[in-house]
Amino acid sequence: MAEFDVLVIGAGLAGLVAATEVAERGLKVCLLDQEGEQNLGGQAFWSLGGLFMVDSPEQRRMGIRDSHALAVQDWFGSAQFDRPEDFWPRQWAQAYLDFAAGEKRSWLHGHGMRWFPVVGWAERGGRFADGHGNSVPRFHVTWGTGPGVLAPFERKARALAERGQVTFKFRHQVDRLIVTDGQVRGATGVILAPDSAPRGAETNRKPVADFEIFAAATIVSSGGIGGNHDLVRKNWPVQRLGTPPSSMVAGVPAHVDGRMLGIAEAAGGATINNDRMWHYTEGLKNWDPIWRNHGIRILPGPSSFWIDADGNRFAPLAMPGFDTLGTLKAIQATKADYSWFILNKAIIKKEFALSGSEQNPDLTGKDLRLLMKRLGKNPPGPVQAFMDKGEDFVVRDTLEDLIAGMNELTGEHRLSIHHIRAQIEARDREIDNSFSKDAQITAIRGARHYLGDKLMRTAKPHKLLDPKAGPLIGVRLHILTRKSLGGLHTDLQARVLGLDGEPVEGLYGAGEVTGFGGGGMHGYNALEGTFLGGCLFSGRVAGRSVLA
């Protein structure tokens, strides 16, 4: 038996932030995780390190005029809160926006973080000014990507451990929260056998001993459900997004399984908005997987020609980079679990980025010389590796050969060369003028009015079938599981609430397990760069509120 002031369950980014905030107040903290020390930092390590910030110096230097009011308009237009239980998610959303437009950057800058000078424009929406999407670029890529976000908090936690303020307990799997007289007083479970599997890889679940840890308060920061596809399908919003896919690739490792949600519920905590989730439509099967069914997301520029499994071009705004869940709904309506990009070398070398720290060695390694190669004549090395080795890529010189290769890849032979050629040639005719009725062509030209996109993310408008821009490339796209937008119901002090709406004494939550705050501060849609930020913010709130 061990006793601490605070027990933190889950040593990802939210847990690290919460634990260090608690320890810096002079309290004794136990930071526990079912995985080994090699997984310290959780999913943040694998991320691109994108952070949503409002009216930052980086934005202003790029000529972007942002404001708190515009961010509020975009967030609430995207969230579309419509449930009685959205009271606390609304409060968290407003508090997070205040943070993102206020001290977020200076706080992180004080921890040593810096950002790539070109701000990305993710999740653009595109219907109405007060609807879903970012009106302006807000995606700030951290120099060092996900590991660069984690590093200052990991250093701080290890320094606090040396002083005796933080105790790490790895390979400890929680099975039950200890509840005494209605108060959560710690956790009990099993110690798992050591496992030297590399970060992200599946580890054993062999129990070697039991444990009991008592604490005056417990913070649950155990992450989401994206690695548990059965639970994803169970919670899938059929009425909004259609039938759940029978096949998906995993954007997170298997240990992101949602176990602690049920355990917290058994201790009296309530979950809300479990049907709100965020999955990507541009997933690739990783040719060099780290975990089972490992998927990588393409972060596309706006120019790829997007068709369904039968070769029909998607209607706006199911266009690359605009409306993630709207496109997911459109794909599911086709009754197929995949779709296609058709593009060419001119587009892929400028517009394809791959999500993940390991897919961006230039940004992760802070290597300026390697970074400059992105402006060269060929695709970045990781993208070229997928073109050469990835099972979802077909590269050919002619459209006839490309479509034949795409049909051969699936074995379904659903694509008609005549149908696809007619659509692409119609699209290509729209390039002859500097204006167009084609929504995607108009969007491409609009994107290039932003200097950052013109420099790094949007190819000059050209005809897809122009041989000078070739070869042609077909990319099969899978649904990729990623984030939970619902979870444990929490108030603005990060206290977990029960079914009666009252705090469960001694129980707090932070990070994705709480829908990044309140049980779902994003509502139905996310604006990107807000998942790491939600972990940072909710972890900070929990660490400063517990036992205060």
Side-chain angles (χ1 to χ4, degrees):
M1 183 185 75
E3 291 193 17
F4 298 88
D5 295 312
V6 177
L7 169 63
V8 179
I9 301 172
L13 178 59
L16 278 170
V17 174
T20 53
E21 289 284 343
V22 171
E24 286 183 322
R25 293 167 47 206
L27 300 173
K28 300 286 187 180
V29 186
C30 175
L31 181 56
L32 171 156
D33 200 284
Q34 70 178 358
E35 297 306 308
E37 186 173 0
Q38 68 269 37
N39 281 287
L40 182 62
Q43 299 322 296
F45 177 88
W46 301 108
S47 77
L48 187 57
L51 293 170
F52 175 98
M53 290 189 279
V54 178
D55 193 24
S56 69
E58 290 78 16
Q59 286 176 299
R60 294 193 291 271
R61 282 193 288 268
M62 293 301 297
I64 301 164
R65 297 178 181 177
D66 200 4
S67 67
H68 180 270
L70 185 59
V72 169
Q73 174 180 299
D74 288 348
W75 190 288
F76 282 85
S78 298
Q80 301 168 24
F81 294 118
D82 62 356
R83 297 172 176 173
E85 57 268 36
D86 282 333
F87 174 82
W88 285 114
R90 284 176 180 269
Q91 305 307 307
W92 271 90
Q94 189 62 62
Y96 180 70
L97 287 165
D98 294 344
F99 177 62
E103 66 174 311
K104 179 180 182 178
R105 186 185 183 281
S106 61
W107 180 61
L108 296 176
H109 193 277
H111 280 80
M113 287 188 209
R114 301 295 183 267
W115 297 275
F116 186 60
V118 179
V119 183
W121 196 355
E123 200 65 16
R124 303 174 192 221
R127 287 182 174 85
F128 297 106
D130 57 356
H132 171 55
N134 283 298
S135 296
V136 298
R138 297 191 176 105
F139 191 78
H140 298 67
V141 176
T142 304
W143 193 231
T145 66
V149 176
L150 279 172
F153 299 101
E154 181 178 342
R155 284 195 301 268
K156 188 186 295 187
R158 292 191 184 280
L160 288 163
E162 289 181 3
R163 297 188 344 226
Q165 293 298 124
V166 172
T167 299
F168 293 107
K169 289 190 178 293
F170 298 106
R171 302 295 289 160
H172 281 59
Q173 179 180 277
V174 172
D175 292 328
R176 181 176 61 87
L177 295 176
I178 300 169
V179 181
T180 305
D181 297 328
Q183 179 178 356
V184 174
R185 297 301 305 272
T188 182
V190 295
I191 301 172
L192 302 173
D195 197 313
S196 60
R199 179 189 283 269
E202 208 159 347
T203 57
N204 74 72
R205 289 293 178 265
K206 180 182 178 182
V208 295
D210 297 325
F211 75 86
E212 235 181 7
I213 297 174
F214 288 90
T218 298
I219 301 172
V220 176
S221 54
S222 54
I225 68 172
N228 184 343
H229 287 190
D230 289 340
L231 190 54
V232 168
R233 292 187 181 96
K234 178 182 177 182
N235 291 328
W236 189 271
V238 174
Q239 288 189 331
R240 292 201 314 278
L241 297 180
T243 304
S246 58
S247 173
M248 299 180 282
V249 293
V252 294
H255 61 252
V256 185
D257 56 12
R259 283 185 77 251
M260 282 304 303
L261 287 166
I263 291 169
E265 286 179 315
T271 60
I272 59 172
N273 299 321
N274 293 322
D275 63 325
R276 293 178 182 169
M277 52 186 70
W278 192 254
H279 306 305
Y280 292 112
T281 51
E282 313 96 337
L284 302 172
K285 292 183 179 180
N286 194 346
W287 65 270
D288 187 20
I290 296 169
W291 53 82
R292 177 165 39 95
N293 194 27
H294 187 176
I296 296 292
R297 185 206 172 195
I298 300 168
L299 285 78
S303 302
S304 294
F305 192 82
W306 206 341
I307 58 174
D308 66 22
D310 291 312
N312 301 303
R313 190 182 184 189
F314 285 110
L317 289 162
M319 302 186 300
F322 280 78
D323 184 348
T324 294
L325 294 190
T327 306
L328 177 56
K329 181 178 180 179
I331 292 170
Q332 292 311 110
T334 70
K335 308 301 182 184
D337 293 339
Y338 68 92
S339 60
W340 292 97
F341 276 168
I342 295 178
L343 62 157
N344 54 38
K345 182 180 177 181
I347 292 172
I348 203 169
K349 74 182 184 67
K350 191 160 189 176
E351 296 197 8
F352 263 39
L354 301 173
S355 182
S357 55
E358 82 284 9
Q359 299 297 331
N360 294 273
D362 48 359
L363 293 166
T364 302
K366 305 179 182 180
D367 188 331
L368 286 171
R369 182 172 296 181
L370 187 58
L371 180 65
M372 293 306 295
K373 290 186 177 181
R374 293 191 183 225
L375 303 178
K377 296 181 179 180
N378 294 308
V383 174
Q384 186 65 56
F386 269 88
M387 290 176 64
D388 296 339
K389 304 173 184 178
E391 67 176 84
D392 296 311
F393 281 74
V394 180
V395 183
R396 300 288 189 274
D397 289 325
T398 68
L399 188 61
E400 285 76 12
D401 288 344
L402 183 75
I403 301 307
M406 291 161 67
N407 277 326
E408 184 180 348
L409 178 61
T410 64
E412 297 179 350
H413 298 278
R414 298 168 68 161
L415 302 176
S416 162
I417 176 61
H418 302 293
H419 180 47
I420 293 174
R421 178 176 284 282
Q423 294 175 90
I424 293 179
E425 287 180 344
R427 179 258 186 215
D428 281 0
R429 292 186 192 104
E430 298 291 312
I431 297 295
D432 290 335
N433 293 289
S434 60
F435 43 85
S436 173
K437 70 177 182 181
D438 187 282
Q440 185 177 13
I441 301 302
T442 300
I444 293 167
R445 297 191 188 282
R448 285 175 60 86
H449 284 295
Y450 167 50
L451 179 60
D453 274 359
K454 185 174 183 178
L455 288 173
M456 300 199 70
R457 291 289 287 148
T458 305
K460 184 178 179 179
H462 63 278
K463 297 186 178 185
L464 274 178
L465 299 183
D466 183 351
K468 296 177 183 177
L472 292 167
I473 304 163
V475 185
R476 180 177 57 181
L477 306 172
H478 306 267
I479 307 302
L480 180 143
T481 60
R482 188 59 67 108
K483 295 299 180 185
S484 312
L485 299 187
L488 292 175
H489 197 187
T490 59
D491 65 13
L492 270 181
Q493 294 173 272
R495 297 180 298 184
V496 174
L497 306 177
L499 291 173
D500 60 358
E502 295 298 316
V504 177
E505 192 174 352
L507 185 60
Y508 295 73
E512 189 178 353
V513 74
T514 69
F516 302 95
M521 73 171 186
H522 295 91
Y524 289 99
N525 294 284
L527 289 178
E528 297 294 5
T530 57
F531 300 136
L532 289 179
C535 288
L536 290 163
F537 182 60
S538 61
R540 192 174 92 144
V541 169
R544 295 183 179 187
S545 298
V546 65
L547 301 183

